[in-house]
Amino acid sequence: MQWEQVLAPRMGRMKASEIRELLKLLDQPDIISFAGGIPDPALFPVAAFQDALGAALAPGKADAALQYSVSEGYLPLRQWLAEHMTGLGIPCGVDNILITSGSQQALDYLGKMMIGAGDTVLVNAPTYMGALGAFNAYEPVYDRLDPRENRGAAEYSAKAVDAGGTVKFAYLSVDFANPTGETIARAEREKVLDLADALGAAIVEDAAYQALRFDGEAVPPILALEIARKGSIEECRTIYCGSFSKTLAPGLRVGWVCAASPVIGRLVLMKQAADLHSSTLNQMAIAEVAARHFESHVAGLRTVYKARRDHMLAALSREMPSGVSWTRPEGGMFVWITLPEGMDGAELLARSLETERVAFVPGRAFFADGSGGNTIRLSFSRADQAAIDEGIRRLGALIAREIG
Ligand code: PMP
């Protein structure tokens, strides 16, 4: 079979992620891994889920738990989320919430909803590679969004027209971003709003790590800043994507979108067409565990991850040679390292796996334009303190040898 003959052009843009290929290697027990940005399974609220699943499958409830359900999502979970979002400065109701199968599905739907081939999406460089992966299928052009640069709307717009489309939306990983660990400051969020207003474009606010702040002051979500300007979520162009993956359990695949109700209405049509609804049982379990344990569970996560972040930053200060710099995240799971100019993160990984048995993610895949060769992403979420000490010691020594 000549598959090329039958493939759609969009398949040309869909490539295996470097991270996914790498994760296959990490089953080897002697590897110290700072690679996958995933929760520590030792911290999953297992007993709470056992209770919640047991309750959902009890006589009288099991019929609903195992049955088809509505595309919008399980109503008690949407009610909990409407309150949760209100608590974040985003007053809204259930009509502003759609449950998705992870926030990754929301990114796919938003790409499908807005991007035509040749349209422009504005992204930070670097940005979450899974978002680029989701959007790529709809054949966008990427332009760089750097809130510190002073490019006006006219300039973005002219470039998009040259590329054969218009600017459809700006995508931002806002808090403790994947991959840099950095948080977009309030003033920069306001500037993105100004720009989107001037362009008539949407904003996709990816808040996957929002709950994992260890220190510093919380920055209001872009959607909250926009509601403060415009009075109601119904007037807003920002589409907020949330997730239970980093707080409760990624394997259950439950995330949400919070936006103006006409946007939710369109996404419901897409959800109907794509998978009808997210798992009823998983939504019920998440609703129960969130209602009973969300705040206390997340407080526990923050304590553990904060200690790991502190440990990693201390190890980096101790072990890294001069010429290497890194971010100091206020939460989340990632530290982003800039290597000396000319050093290549992917080559460093190959050598590190071979001689040091230390894994991390080379930075280039997070840049839509293929730049960023001299960067790497380290995750501190799964490594214990001894592994952090030893892994960073080995990595520092390797980089020092590479510098020569
Ligand atoms: N956004 C960001 C920034 C992420 O890091 C991730 C997971 N790595 C996702 C979205 C997707 O997460 P999920 O689909 O599990 O909610």
Side-chain angles (χ1 to χ4, degrees), residues 20 37-38 100-107 127-131 171-179 206-209 241-246 249-251 253-256 333-334 377:
R20 233 156 255 305
I38 60 181
T100 55
S101 299
S103 54
Q104 192 65 30
Q105 183 176 56
L107 298 177
T127 191
Y128 169 49
M129 71 166 83
Y171 165 81
L172 302 100
S173 173
V174 283
D175 303 294
F176 334 116
N178 186 358
D206 182 337
Y209 299 89
C241 303
S243 176
F244 287 106
S245 291
K246 317 297 172 181
R253 312 304 305 128
V254 181
W256 71 94
M333 299 184 171
F334 307 110
R377 189 193 76 180

Side-chain angles (χ1 to χ4, degrees), residues 3-23:
W3 284 102
E4 273 62 34
Q5 205 176 308
V6 298
L7 294 181
R10 71 178 71 91
M11 282 310 293
R13 299 279 301 265
M14 302 183 80
K15 306 242 161 60
S17 123
E18 237 172 298
I19 294 199
R20 233 156 255 305
E21 293 302 304
L22 194 82
L23 284 174

Side-chain angles (χ1 to χ4, degrees), residues 25 156 242 311:
L25 292 174
Y156 283 105
H311 214 74

Side-chain angles (χ1 to χ4, degrees), residues 13 115 118-123 127 129 131-145 159 163 169 171 367-369:
R13 299 279 301 265
I115 304 168
D119 279 333
T120 290
V121 176
L122 306 182
V123 292
T127 191
M129 71 166 83
L132 300 177
F135 302 149
N136 280 346
Y138 306 106
E139 304 175 86
V141 174
Y142 295 106
D143 195 359
R144 184 176 176 138
L145 180 72
K159 199 167 165 195
F169 62 89
Y171 165 81
F367 289 80
D369 62 3

